[in-house]
Amino acid sequence: MARAESLLHWYDRHRRRLPWRDAPAPDPYRIWVSEVMLQQTTVAAVGPRYARFLARFPDVGSLAAADWAELAEEWAGLGYYARARNLHAAAKEIAAKGWPRDAAGWRELPGVGAYTAAAVAAIALNEPVVPVDGNVERVLSRVFAIETPLPHSRPEISRRAASFMEQAEARARPGDFAQALFDLGATICTPRRPACALCPWRDECEAHRLGIQDTLPVKAPKAARGAIFGVHFALLDREGRIGLLRRPEGGLLGGMPALPGTPWRAEPWEEAEALSHAPAPAPWHPCPGEARHGFTHRDLSMRLWRADADAIPEGLEPVALDRAQVILPGAMRKLLDLL
């Protein structure tokens, strides 16, 4: 069994300096926000956005009281917008009922899964649980030489992770132990070319002993990504403002500001069919090029048509182009590039 003491000793000397670790004492709000932001988003991208988010919403009360439009604007560009909707809903629930006291309580909040609940509980509440994210899956797959492909190996990885809490050193510092696992996976036990010579668990790692660390974790073949297509419309008024609307709450980019357009579907749109979705009668002209955006399981291709009008019609919000660049999600910003 790898020793928690070895990992914690390494962490005390080599821990990463991250904005959400700067508080004098772990704060459930700061930890929760950071964990939600870090889902499917890199540490480098989250760092500056995290500080800006806290400046705008410094506590759960301010987040709960905010309009969705405010939160959507602040989240623009971070992607995976369902995270923001769930964050907002959970903040309202916390403001009404109080903070959860353990991982089980966190699991009851909107959008909070097993990993996030365990991460907040370990780091902010000192609960003896081990959160398992992609970094931890990789580390433990190698330490225990687990050759069952992901995702089928996850139950065994979770059991192995929980077993560390049988060690007194891990139970005494569950938050530091969790973050030590995160840092080990991010800086030493990396997906390619792990730096085994620097690893505090090198001598206890079964994959290293067998020389198979580069082959683990094994991943099941990915399903083919689907292609979807859409056509959008840029209607500009005499002041150069563009007409935007808000997408429906459900689905991709749900609740986010967007250019009006067709639904996204598996078949490309013919010109006449697409123009039937234009937001107003106007002399529409196609913009050269195509905007492409990748979602988790689908690749989106979008065409853009442009028209000028005296005024933005009812149902659309006139927004200055420089502000549109700030509040639109990344996929929609790519459409602005076609202008």
Side-chain angles (χ1 to χ4, degrees):
M1 182 68 177
R3 293 185 303 129
E5 183 181 19
S6 302
L7 181 62
L8 286 165
H9 183 61
W10 171 84
Y11 176 72
D12 289 338
R13 290 177 295 155
H14 300 291
R15 71 175 71 193
R16 292 178 292 173
R17 298 190 64 181
L18 300 171
W20 39 93
R21 296 179 181 174
D22 287 345
D27 177 352
Y29 179 70
R30 292 169 62 93
I31 299 301
W32 173 45
V33 169
S34 71
E35 291 296 343
V36 173
M37 283 190 166
L38 287 165
Q39 293 168 15
Q40 307 291 334
T41 308
T42 65
V43 168
V46 166
R49 297 297 300 273
Y50 174 78
R52 199 175 87 182
F53 188 94
L54 287 184
R56 189 164 185 176
F57 309 112
D59 51 42
V60 73
S62 60
L63 180 58
D67 292 334
W68 165 246
E70 294 180 74
L71 179 54
E73 177 180 333
E74 191 57 48
W75 203 270
L78 282 172
Y80 299 92
Y81 298 98
R83 294 179 299 169
R85 294 197 298 275
N86 287 327
L87 188 73
H88 199 209
K92 292 180 179 180
E93 194 164 320
I94 292 169
K97 300 179 180 179
W99 289 98
R101 297 182 178 182
D102 53 23
W106 277 95
R107 284 296 303 273
E108 296 177 3
L109 292 172
V112 177
Y115 164 74
T116 301
V120 177
I123 299 168
L125 305 179
N126 213 38
E127 185 175 346
V129 292
V130 181
V132 179
D133 68 350
N135 279 323
V136 176
E137 286 181 344
R138 183 168 60 257
V139 169
L140 298 190
S141 291
R142 290 169 174 170
V143 168
F144 297 104
I146 298 172
E147 298 186 73
T148 304
L150 286 167
H152 306 296
S153 60
R154 282 177 178 153
E156 180 179 358
I157 292 171
S158 294
R159 288 194 298 271
R160 296 283 195 175
S163 70
F164 279 101
M165 287 300 133
E166 297 171 6
Q167 298 185 40
E169 295 82 3
R171 287 187 66 86
R173 301 172 60 188
D176 285 344
F177 183 75
Q179 293 176 102
L181 282 172
F182 301 160
D183 285 8
L184 186 67
T187 65
I188 301 294
C189 197
T190 50
R192 296 182 180 84
R193 296 180 175 272
C196 296
L198 304 177
C199 180
W201 278 349
R202 177 188 60 188
D203 295 337
E204 299 152 296
C205 177
E206 186 67 6
H208 180 261
R209 185 185 72 80
L210 296 171
I212 60 172
Q213 64 270 23
D214 288 333
T215 69
L216 298 178
V218 179
K219 296 183 180 180
K222 290 185 178 180
R225 293 171 62 87
I228 51 177
F229 302 87
V231 177
H232 289 267
F233 300 93
L235 186 63
L236 292 99
D237 66 12
R238 289 180 174 180
E239 298 178 32
R241 299 177 300 179
I242 191 168
L244 302 182
L245 49 68
R246 195 163 295 278
R247 289 181 62 81
E249 288 295 325
L252 297 170
L253 306 186
M256 297 299 292
L259 277 69
T262 68
W264 296 338
R265 68 182 192 185
E267 302 83 26
W269 290 86
E270 297 292 339
E271 177 178 318
E273 188 183 13
L275 286 172
S276 70
H277 291 268
W284 293 101
H285 303 285
C287 295
E290 189 174 51
R292 297 178 180 271
H293 188 80
F295 293 105
T296 305
H297 302 297
R298 284 174 281 186
D299 292 316
L300 170 64
S301 298
M302 298 175 290
R303 301 296 306 273
L304 182 68
W305 288 66
R306 172 187 174 147
D308 296 300
D310 291 336
I312 300 299
E314 186 177 350
L316 297 181
E317 178 186 359
V319 177
L321 280 173
D322 57 352
R323 178 162 174 73
Q325 287 281 5
V326 172
I327 67 173
L328 285 173
M332 293 289 115
R333 292 180 194 176
K334 292 176 182 178
L335 284 170
L336 295 186
D337 292 341
L338 299 181
L339 286 175

